[in-house]
Structures are given as C-alpha cells and as structure tokens.
Amino acid sequence: MSLSSEIIKNIKSVINFSDNSREINVHEPSFIGTNASKYIEDCLISGWVSSSGKWVTKFEELIKEFTGSEYVIAVSNGTVALRLALFIVGVRAGEEVIIPPLSFVATANAISHLGAFPHFVDIDSESLGMCSKALDNRLKKIAHFKGDLVFNKYTGRRIAGVVPVHVFGIPAKIDKIKNVCNKWKIPLVEDSAEALGSKVKISNNQIHCGCVGDIGTLSFNGNKIITTGGGGALLTNNAEFAKLAKHLSTTAKVHHPWEFYHDKIGWNDRLPNINAALGVSQLEQINYKIKKKRILHQKFVEIFQSFEDIEIIQELDTSISNYWLITMRLKGVKPEKIKESILQESHSSKIYLRPSWILLNQLPMYKDSQKGDLSESINQSKRLINLPSSPQLIND
Ligand SMILES: *Cc1c(COP(=O)(O)O)cnc(C)c1O
C-alpha cells in the first residue's frame, strides 16, 4: 500500500468512515440537540430580528464570561471585526500593518479595506503563528522612530499595527510578540478568529486568545468552532476602545429617543439579534465541543505515532488549543508530491482534506507587498494538511 493510501486508511479508521458515509469536510457546524430553534423562534415571535435586542446583549455577556475579556462587541463577521479593531487602534489609509503570510485572506483584506497595506513577516514552526524574532529583526531593519511613531524607512509609511494570527486554534507566542510591540510602541491586534476556547499560559495565568493585545477579534462564520451563521466580535480590556467600537459599529448614532444625529462616519457592523440567538445556543455547547475535539486530536496523534514522516501539530507547553482544525505535518524532505496524492485520494473518497492556505504574499493583490524573509512560512505551507476536525465525529 502506498504511503498516501495508508494515511487515508488511518484517517478513515479514526473517524469511523465507511464507504457509504456522507461527505466529510474539515469542520462542519452542528445544531442537533441545541436550543437553536427555541431561541430563534423567540426572535421571530417578538419581532426583534435585527441589529439590537436582548440576544445580542446576552451573547456578548456569555462571550465575556467565557473569554474573561472585560468588554465584548458583537459584529456582523470576523473581517469586519478586524477592520474595526484596526481603525480603533489608529490604522488609517496609507499606513502599514504587519501580519504573517500564513492566514486566511481576511487578515490582509481588512487592512486593505482601510486603505492601508499589509507587510509580511515570517512564522515560527512550532506555533505556526508570527515569529517574535522575525518581527523584531524586520523592524530593526526597516523601522525608525519619529517621536513616538514608527515609520518604514523605505516606504515612508507609518507602521500602525501588528496582527498575529492564532492559526487553526493553536495559540501564537503572543506574550513574546507583545514584548516586541511594546518595545516599538506599535498597537497589537490579535486575529483570534479560529481560537475561541484557546488560551495562553502567562506567568501562572491562563489568558484567552485575543485578550493579550490591545484588541482581539473572533469569527462565528459557519466553519468556525461555533457559528452565528455569520458573525464576529471584538474583545478588549480598554474601556475607550470598547465605547468607540460600539459607537462606530452602530453608525456613530448619538443616543436620543427620536433624533438621528451621527457625530462621525460610522459603519453598520452590528450583529443581528437573530444571529446572536443562534450564537447563544452554540455557546452553550462550546466546552463539550472542545472536549470532543481534544479526544479526536489525541486519536490522530496515537494512530500516526508510528509514522516517521508524519506529525500531528500539538499545542505548546505554554498554550492550550481548541484544536479547531487538527493539522498534519509532513516531515520528509520533499513533501509536495505526497501532499498532492493525499489530497487527491482523500477527495476521491469524499473526505475533503485541505492544504493550508496559499501564502497571502503569493496572491495577485498582495504579491508586491513589503515583506521580510518568509522562508519558514514557505517551508511550512508545503507540509500542512487539515484533517477532519468536527466534534460530532466523536460519539457520546
Ligand atoms: C474566518 C477568519 C477570518 C474572517 O472571519 P469571517 O467571519 O469569515 O469574516 C479572519 N481571520 C481568520 C484567520 C479566519 O480564519
């Protein structure tokens, strides 16, 4: 049996896949056995379906409790959450924001939506997130202070933010990244879209992803660990930022019983009540989902233990992952061919394994972006395959 067939066979055995099984995607939402219908019906009966209502407040309160963030502002998706967070920490048109190239395209797009430019720095191989050393080295090479502000000497643009990503739910080494940001006085926004339930251990405390930087963002898209259909949120411990986020996301309308007075150019970014109702029903299941995902992850670790050239990516000693997407790394010298055959073979069995994203700096709109040495990103992206990770693959 070829190596790729052997791998597919083992994946099938972990997920109890039989040839008449339905299609398997890497992460699928599930609403069975939840209060989804009940809560959504409440919206329909009360008529409160749009961008305010008690479910939005309740959802925000529950996210606050779950993450330990002091403030939570629910918005219409994760891309919007990033764009709003970047605007609030001060990113404006013509400035630069530093991000890793291994991410979903939204990380870069949110920057572009403000008229700013992504600038790529490398990742570390352990966390797959932004490498603090690569960040510091890049800044040493290209950045200089003018007063308290930092500029790229080569482009003349201000460097207005750093956005690490907690890739596939594995926490980035965010405390180290934060130290570099503090040193250079650059705001830190955490793209935690994939990391609800993931935590970092910092001096004996467990801190939820998104709560270390100035603002963290979440996504509740259909493929994420919990879903509101579409949705996102900002997490922050900064009262001013929270106030501004709420204001700008509700068309900057100044509260008044009848007047439509708006004091800024705002956005219509708020999460609708009907989506928040679905979100509450999903959040009631999150611990259960994480528990099952950790069991599934352990099964993959065990079954591939004896494979010399395969490793299942694990949380670090300093972090706890929600294992949103369980990821296999091919360790051999030339992984491209075997990766291609694993993807091909799995897709023909209707198990839709996925490679990691094409690096963002290789996409046409970002190919001329500023970038440091990206050799680790290039190396890792040849090797990564996301495995079936839905919690419902584990029986009760
Ligand atoms: C999903 C995702 C987003 C965007 O969230 P949407 O809700 O789909 O807009 C941003 N960043 C990362 C890393 C994501 O995975």
Side-chain angles (χ1 to χ4, degrees), residues 100-158:
L102 185 74
S103 185
F104 179 56
V105 70
T107 315
N109 284 349
I111 296 163
S112 307
H113 293 161
L114 291 171
F117 301 94
H119 182 146
F120 298 104
V121 304
D122 212 358
I123 61 168
D124 80 69
S125 61
E126 268 185 314
S127 72
L128 304 178
M130 183 185 280
C131 171
S132 61
K133 280 215 184 75
L135 174 64
D136 197 34
N137 288 339
R138 182 66 182 158
L139 287 166
K140 280 180 188 153
K141 192 162 171 198
I142 58 126
H144 66 147
F145 276 104
K146 283 190 203 164
D148 267 355
L149 303 179
V150 178
F151 288 79
N152 181 333
K153 316 190 249 221
Y154 299 99
T155 61
R157 299 175 193 141
R158 184 167 87 93

Side-chain angles (χ1 to χ4, degrees), residues 8 11 24-28 102-105 128 166-169 194 221-224 313 324-330 338-347 350-358 380-389:
I8 304 296
I11 292 171
I24 303 280
N25 287 293
V26 288
H27 199 276
E28 296 170 2
L102 185 74
S103 185
F104 179 56
V105 70
L128 304 178
H166 302 292
V167 176
F168 309 139
E194 306 177 353
N221 193 40
N223 62 341
K224 296 300 191 317
I313 307 266
W324 171 58
L325 290 188
I326 299 164
T327 304
M328 166 186 280
R329 173 157 48 204
L330 304 168
I338 175 80
K339 180 175 146 189
E340 200 60 31
S341 42
I342 293 169
L343 288 168
Q344 213 133 59
E345 223 171 296
S346 73
H347 279 239
K350 298 205 163 93
I351 300 174
Y352 300 116
L353 301 187
R354 287 189 351 185
S356 58
W357 311 276
I358 290 172
Q380 292 301 323
S381 72
K382 291 185 222 165
R383 304 176 178 282
L384 302 175
I385 296 180
N386 297 136
L387 302 177
S389 309

Side-chain angles (χ1 to χ4, degrees), residues 44-335:
L44 301 179
I45 290 168
S46 68
W48 287 87
V49 294
S50 201
S51 54
S52 62
K54 69 171 191 194
W55 291 103
V56 177
T57 315
K58 180 148 176 83
F59 186 59
E60 289 175 339
E61 285 299 321
L62 289 174
I63 296 277
K64 230 160 42 176
E65 209 173 287
F66 184 72
T67 60
S69 179
E70 279 190 51
Y71 304 95
V72 172
I73 299 91
V75 294
S76 54
N77 62 58
T79 311
V80 151
L82 274 172
R83 184 258 289 139
L84 189 56
L86 289 167
F87 186 83
I88 287 168
V89 301
V91 176
R92 295 294 180 271
E95 300 183 329
E96 281 175 24
V97 177
I98 299 181
I99 62 172
L102 185 74
S103 185
F104 179 56
V105 70
T107 315
N109 284 349
I111 296 163
S112 307
H113 293 161
L114 291 171
F117 301 94
H119 182 146
F120 298 104
V121 304
D122 212 358
I123 61 168
D124 80 69
S125 61
E126 268 185 314
S127 72
L128 304 178
M130 183 185 280
C131 171
S132 61
K133 280 215 184 75
L135 174 64
D136 197 34
N137 288 339
R138 182 66 182 158
L139 287 166
K140 280 180 188 153
K141 192 162 171 198
I142 58 126
H144 66 147
F145 276 104
K146 283 190 203 164
D148 267 355
L149 303 179
V150 178
F151 288 79
N152 181 333
K153 316 190 249 221
Y154 299 99
T155 61
R157 299 175 193 141
R158 184 167 87 93
I159 299 168
V162 170
V163 186
V165 181
H166 302 292
V167 176
F168 309 139
I170 310 274
K173 296 177 182 174
I174 196 69
D175 47 339
K176 291 188 176 153
I177 295 167
K178 187 180 178 165
N179 289 340
V180 178
C181 289
N182 287 346
K183 172 179 157 190
W184 291 92
K185 300 187 176 176
I186 306 174
L188 172 59
V189 171
E190 292 173 68
D191 184 344
S192 316
E194 306 177 353
L196 184 66
S198 298
K199 293 172 185 170
V200 286
K201 299 178 191 166
I202 302 177
S203 51
N204 288 331
N205 292 318
Q206 291 185 2
I207 302 179
H208 196 282
C209 285
C211 298
V212 176
D214 296 287
I215 304 182
T217 63
L218 298 173
S219 164
F220 311 115
N221 193 40
N223 62 341
K224 296 300 191 317
I225 190 159
I226 68 157
T227 185
T228 55
L234 286 80
L235 309 177
T236 185
N237 294 328
N238 181 317
E240 287 303 309
F241 286 173
K243 215 167 125 188
L244 196 54
K246 183 130 191 204
H247 189 56
L248 290 173
S249 64
T250 45
T251 64
K253 185 178 180 296
V254 176
H255 196 68
H256 190 282
W258 54 83
E259 294 293 1
F260 281 89
Y261 180 70
H262 309 257
D263 64 354
K264 288 193 173 71
I265 300 175
W267 284 284
N268 176 16
D269 280 349
R270 292 287 282 165
L271 183 71
N273 201 41
I274 195 164
N275 297 79
L278 182 59
V280 171
S281 74
Q282 287 273 291
L283 209 48
E284 289 169 349
Q285 309 272 307
I286 184 134
N287 288 323
Y288 173 73
K289 286 192 189 207
I290 292 172
K291 197 166 146 195
K292 286 194 165 194
K293 282 162 90 61
R294 294 184 70 85
I295 295 170
L296 185 59
H297 175 265
Q298 191 53 34
K299 287 192 170 198
F300 279 123
V301 170
E302 277 162 23
I303 210 156
F304 287 112
Q305 213 137 45
S306 57
F307 286 66
E308 213 172 281
D309 280 348
I310 287 176
E311 171 186 15
I312 302 297
I313 307 266
Q314 308 242 30
E315 63 198 5
L316 316 183
D317 293 340
T318 52
S319 70
I320 299 167
S321 176
N322 66 1
Y323 290 124
W324 171 58
L325 290 188
I326 299 164
T327 304
M328 166 186 280
R329 173 157 48 204
L330 304 168
K331 296 199 291 184
V333 252
K334 286 221 159 101

